Amino acid sequence: MRGRPDYQPPLDRQGVALRYLCAVVPMLFHGTVLAWLVLHDGGRLPQALIDTALGLIGLVLMRWRRRWPWQIALATALLTAFSATATGPAQVAYVSLVTHRRWSRTIPVAAVSVVCLLVSGALGGIDQATVVSSVSGLTILGGLTVFGLYLRGRRDLELSLRERARAAEREQRQRIDQARLAERVKIAQEMHDVLAHRISLLAMLAGGLAYRTDLGPEQTREAALAIQENAHQSLNELRTVLRTLRDDGAVEAPQPDLAHLDALFGEVRAAGQRVEVDDRIDGRESLPAQTGRHAYRIVQEALTNARKHAPGARVTAELGGRPGEGLRIRVTNAARPGSVPGPGGRLGLVGLAERTKMAGGTLTHTIQDGRFILDVRLPWEAADRDPAGDSG
C-alpha cells in the first residue's frame, strides 16, 4: 500500500533532538577542522567565520523543513557550496525531502547538491584530496537517498497499520450496533405481538359493553373483570419487555410455544371471538423451541388481525405437520370489504411476514370464496436417527 506522499507523522521531543543531533555532529567535525586550520594559518579566520555563520543559518532553516521541504533542502544545499559546516543541516533537510517521495522535486535538489559539492571542492584547487572528498560526498548523498526511502517505507507501514486498526475498530463498533439493533427489533416484535393481542381483546370486550344493551349485571361484571384482567396482563408483559430492553439482553421471561396455544384459544374465546381449531401436528415434542415460539406468535397475530378486520366472524385455525415435512399454520376468516381495521391494522401482515422470515419460513395470503386465507410454512427438520438403535 502506498501512503500519502505528503504524510509526515508528528515528532516528539526525542525525534526532534535526534534530527538536530544528526545535523550538529557534522558541523562540529567541520568546525574542528576549521579551528585547526586557523591555528596554523591565522589568515583563514574570516573564511572560517563565514563558513560557521552559513552553517548556523542552515541549522536555523531546518526548523521549517517540513513546511517547505524542497525549498529548505535547496537553500541548505546551496549553502554547502561555500560552507562545510552547512553540510549537516543540508543532509537532514535532504533526507526529509526524500521521505516525501516527490521525485520531480527531489532529483533537481540532488543535482544542485552534487554541483555544490563539486564547486566547493574546486574552490581550493583540484587535487587527489578533492577527488576523494567529491566521491565520498556522492556516496553519502546516495546513502542518504536510500535512507530517506527507508524512512518513508516505515512511515507508510505505520500509517497502514493505524488505518487498519481504525477500520477494525469501526467495523467492531458497527457489528455491536447492528447486534443491538437486531436485539431491539426482536424486542419490538415481541412488544407488538403481545400488546396488539391484548389491546384487541380489550377493544372487543369494551365494544361488547358499549353496544350490547341486553347484558345483565352479572354479565356486565364478568366483562369488566375480563377487561381488568387483560389490562393487568398487558402491563405485566410490557414490564417484562421493557426490563429486557434495559438489560440489553435476550428475552429472559419464559416464552410461549405450541404448548400454550390451548390457553390462547381459550382466552380469545372467553373474550367473545369464535375460533375453530384443527390440530394435526405429529411429534410436536421434537419441534425446536425457537420454531415453537415463532409459531405461537404467528397464530396470536393472525387471531388479532381477524379481530381487527373481521370482528365477530368465525375464525378457523388449522395446524399440521411433522418432522421432516415442516410445520403448517393456516388461519382463515370471512373477508369483509366494508370493515375498517383499528389503529395499526395494516401492520399485521408486515409483522407476520417479519416473524415468518425470522423463523426461515414462507408466508402467503389471499382472498378466496369470500374468505381471507393466511398460510404459513415453517421449517421442521427431521431428528437425526440414533445409530445405536439400529444395532441388534
Side-chain angles (χ1 to χ4, degrees):
M1 173 183 173
R2 182 172 180 176
R4 296 190 297 269
D6 292 330
Y7 170 74
Q8 295 289 328
L11 296 176
D12 54 11
R13 292 182 178 179
Q14 184 177 2
V16 174
L18 178 62
R19 282 153 178 79
Y20 275 95
L21 179 63
C22 292
V24 170
V25 168
M27 292 181 65
L28 292 177
F29 172 77
H30 290 289
T32 302
V33 173
L34 289 175
W36 184 82
L37 292 175
V38 169
L39 288 177
H40 289 77
D41 185 1
R44 291 179 176 268
L45 180 60
Q47 179 182 355
L49 293 177
I50 294 175
D51 192 309
T52 304
L54 293 177
L56 293 175
I57 292 174
L59 191 65
V60 173
L61 291 176
M62 273 182 52
R63 179 179 180 183
W64 296 281
R65 71 189 184 282
R66 288 193 156 205
R67 182 178 298 180
W68 300 297
W70 72 269
Q71 294 93 330
I72 299 302
L74 180 61
T76 52
L78 292 173
L79 292 177
T80 60
F82 308 99
S83 172
T85 54
T87 301
Q91 291 175 347
V92 174
Y94 177 75
V95 172
S96 180
L97 174 63
V98 173
T99 59
H100 287 268
R101 210 159 48 198
R102 295 291 184 96
W103 297 110
S104 60
R105 298 172 180 176
T106 302
I107 293 176
V109 173
V112 171
S113 299
V114 172
V115 172
C116 292
L117 176 64
L118 297 177
V119 170
S120 176
L123 289 178
I126 300 176
D127 52 14
Q128 185 177 2
T130 302
V131 174
V132 173
S133 176
S134 299
V135 172
S136 301
L138 292 174
T139 303
I140 292 174
L141 187 65
L144 293 175
T145 303
V146 174
F147 181 66
L149 293 176
Y150 167 75
L151 288 180
R152 181 64 199 186
R154 288 288 303 273
R155 292 175 181 177
D156 288 347
L157 178 60
E158 293 175 2
L159 177 62
S160 175
L161 294 177
R162 279 195 294 269
E163 290 179 347
R164 290 182 182 178
R166 295 191 192 101
E169 185 178 356
R170 288 194 299 268
E171 292 176 359
Q172 180 66 14
R173 286 198 300 266
Q174 290 175 356
R175 285 193 293 267
I176 294 174
D177 293 341
Q178 290 173 356
R180 289 176 177 173
L181 179 60
E183 189 63 32
R184 279 161 173 77
V185 168
K186 292 180 181 179
I187 295 173
Q189 185 71 41
E190 293 291 332
M191 186 181 297
H192 170 268
D193 293 344
V194 170
L195 293 184
H197 169 68
R198 294 295 177 190
I199 292 174
S200 64
L201 287 178
L202 290 174
M204 177 179 291
L205 293 170
L209 288 178
Y211 293 103
R212 293 190 61 181
T213 58
D214 58 337
L215 296 178
E218 186 63 24
Q219 292 174 320
T220 302
R221 180 175 177 276
E222 291 178 357
L225 289 176
I227 292 175
Q228 183 183 34
E229 181 181 355
N230 275 278
H232 287 167
Q233 291 180 359
S234 299
L235 290 175
N236 291 334
E237 291 172 345
L238 179 60
R239 289 191 188 101
T240 300
V241 176
L242 292 179
R243 182 172 62 252
T244 303
L245 183 61
R246 285 195 297 269
D247 294 342
D248 196 22
V251 179
E252 297 177 356
Q255 296 298 296
D257 52 21
L258 290 183
H260 297 81
L261 282 179
D262 290 339
L264 174 64
F265 293 137
E267 186 179 62
V268 298
R269 285 168 178 157
Q273 188 175 15
R274 295 182 295 168
V275 180
E276 294 181 356
V277 180
D278 182 9
D279 191 342
R280 299 182 181 181
I281 301 177
D282 295 333
R284 67 178 64 218
E285 65 279 356
S286 65
L287 183 69
Q290 186 72 14
T291 304
R293 287 194 290 269
H294 287 305
Y296 177 91
R297 292 303 186 192
I298 289 171
V299 174
Q300 184 185 58
E301 181 64 20
L303 296 177
T304 301
N305 283 346
R307 289 194 297 272
K308 292 179 180 179
H309 293 271
R314 185 180 301 275
V315 181
T316 301
E318 301 175 27
L319 308 174
R322 59 172 53 92
E325 294 183 1
L327 179 65
R328 180 181 180 185
I329 302 172
R330 183 183 177 93
V331 180
T332 63
N333 58 269
R336 298 185 178 181
S339 64
V340 179
R346 299 183 182 277
L347 299 178
L349 288 177
V350 176
L352 282 168
E354 292 178 352
R355 174 72 66 174
T356 304
K357 184 178 180 180
M358 289 170 57
T362 59
L363 178 146
T364 58
H365 58 87
T366 184
I367 297 178
Q368 184 178 353
D369 298 331
R371 293 188 65 81
F372 178 80
I373 302 175
L374 177 72
D375 201 341
V376 177
R377 302 294 182 97
L378 300 181
W380 185 357
E381 300 294 337
D384 294 335
R385 191 175 181 182
D386 187 2
D390 295 336
S391 62

